[in-house]
Amino acid sequence: MAIRHKKKSRLFRLTTWGKALLFFSAVILFAAMTTGRNVVYLFFSLMVSFMFLSSLLATISLLRLRLSRLVPQHIFAGKPFLVETGVANDKRFFTSFSLRVSDLLNQKELKGRYILKLPPQSSVSLVHKYLIERRGKYTFHGIKVTTTYPLELFRKGYLLLAPETILVYPRIVRLNPHFLQDMASEVENQVNRAGLGTDLYGFRKYQNGDDSRFINWKLSAKTSELLVTKYCLEQNLKVCVVFDNLLHRIDPASREKFESAVTLAASLCSFL
């Protein structure tokens, strides 16, 4: 999903080096005003020019960046998933340096990726690995792009507001083998019934009215009596999982039990 034309929120913050430079600039300005010497004013002008140049180059690095985000369709709680973020530099002549790109999930900034250099008219894809512990609806509020280029005096950037809601499915866990074995035995009892089919069910003595096509002549010759082959009944077995989604009590213990039940139902459906 390309999100180039979404609303931007500007970001600006002084780094430790920037605060130190600003402090020394103020000290030098005070000294220049006190002494009245031109050389002190020259030092002050030089420090201010460093800050201006740093801000200008950082702004140029952030110009005309085209961003996109690709989120997987199916996300499960407790299972890592990958989000692909595309960054393209649409400038014709200027290279973008020292870019840090990160996502905001439910207003919380996630761990980002670093781009050292992005030449003009080029693009790069960043793959982020995330993990969400609980099911529910979550929102990617936007993509944050910042840079400290070139002197790490400022951290400039912007937040590209592009809300995208995702649905995180319940956690899928490995079911207890004994539980699965009991369930399989119950299913086998329901399936293994005599009828018209192709799988062998057993043999029985011939009775008046039986179809002669089902007489097992080879086995009948060995036992000296007519035996009829029986086959398993073919049927499409349907399993219905019923889950009561009514939470009777609102307290942490009841919520945890409810979530455990949701996990069990989802895992059972996934197994079936």
Side-chain angles (χ1 to χ4, degrees):
M1 180 183 70
I3 50 179
R4 179 180 177 183
H5 301 292
K6 296 293 183 177
K7 185 178 178 180
K8 295 181 181 180
S9 177
R10 299 292 176 178
L11 304 172
F12 179 85
R13 183 172 63 86
L14 282 172
T15 64
T16 303
W17 290 106
K19 293 178 181 178
L21 182 61
L22 186 62
F23 173 76
F24 285 116
S25 298
V27 171
I28 292 176
L29 177 62
F30 177 77
M33 295 176 63
T34 303
T35 61
R37 294 184 178 181
N38 292 334
V39 65
V40 183
Y41 279 107
L42 182 61
F43 275 115
F44 172 74
S45 301
L46 184 62
M47 299 181 75
V48 172
S49 65
F50 277 146
M51 290 188 288
F52 175 77
L53 180 63
S54 179
S55 177
L56 177 63
L57 293 178
T59 301
I60 293 176
S61 288
L62 295 170
L63 288 177
R64 297 194 65 185
L65 294 179
R66 179 163 41 89
L67 306 176
S68 62
R69 183 201 298 123
L70 182 61
V71 182
Q73 293 184 350
H74 303 290
I75 302 174
F76 293 88
K79 184 178 181 180
F81 63 96
L82 301 178
V83 175
E84 181 179 348
T85 304
V87 184
N89 182 8
D90 289 339
K91 295 187 289 292
R92 295 185 61 183
F93 304 107
F94 296 100
T95 300
S96 295
F97 293 94
S98 187
L99 299 176
R100 181 166 292 277
V101 183
S102 58
D103 285 300
L104 264 70
L105 181 65
N106 284 7
Q107 301 292 352
K108 180 181 179 182
E109 183 176 355
L110 303 177
K111 185 178 180 181
R113 289 298 181 94
Y114 181 74
I115 304 174
L116 177 62
K117 180 180 179 181
L118 188 60
Q121 300 295 313
S122 64
S123 62
V124 65
S125 294
L126 306 175
V127 178
H128 308 263
K129 187 176 182 180
Y130 298 136
L131 175 66
I132 300 178
E133 293 292 343
R134 301 183 69 88
R135 66 182 180 91
K137 284 187 177 181
Y138 294 82
T139 302
F140 281 101
H141 289 280
I143 301 179
K144 183 178 180 181
V145 183
T146 60
T147 181
T148 57
Y149 178 78
L151 302 176
E152 293 193 11
L153 300 178
F154 312 103
R155 180 171 292 278
K156 297 189 67 174
Y158 56 84
L159 174 61
L160 204 58
L161 301 177
E164 182 178 1
T165 302
I166 60 173
L167 180 62
V168 179
Y169 295 105
R171 184 188 301 266
I172 304 298
V173 298
R174 185 176 180 181
L175 298 175
N176 190 320
H178 298 290
F179 171 76
L180 296 178
Q181 185 177 3
D182 294 340
M183 184 178 66
S185 300
E186 182 66 23
V187 171
E188 186 177 358
N189 292 334
Q190 295 294 329
V191 173
N192 289 340
R193 295 179 179 178
L196 296 177
T198 57
D199 295 331
L200 181 64
Y201 182 81
F203 305 95
R204 65 172 174 82
K205 291 183 178 181
Y206 177 82
Q207 298 176 356
N208 292 332
D210 286 341
D211 194 335
S212 59
R213 293 178 300 172
F214 297 116
I215 298 177
N216 192 317
W217 296 105
K218 186 176 181 179
L219 189 61
S220 299
K222 292 181 179 180
T223 58
S224 300
E225 58 181 351
L226 290 178
L227 296 177
V228 177
T229 303
K230 297 173 61 179
Y231 296 94
C232 291
L233 176 65
E234 289 187 353
Q235 57 180 338
N236 294 324
L237 185 64
K238 296 182 179 180
V239 178
C240 179
V241 179
V242 180
F243 177 73
D244 183 8
N245 62 352
L246 179 61
L247 185 61
H248 299 280
R249 298 175 59 186
I250 304 178
D251 58 82
S254 298
R255 288 183 179 275
E256 288 300 324
K257 292 180 180 179
F258 182 82
E259 291 298 327
S260 299
V262 172
T263 299
L264 177 61
S267 302
L268 182 58
C269 292
S270 177
F271 173 78
L272 296 175

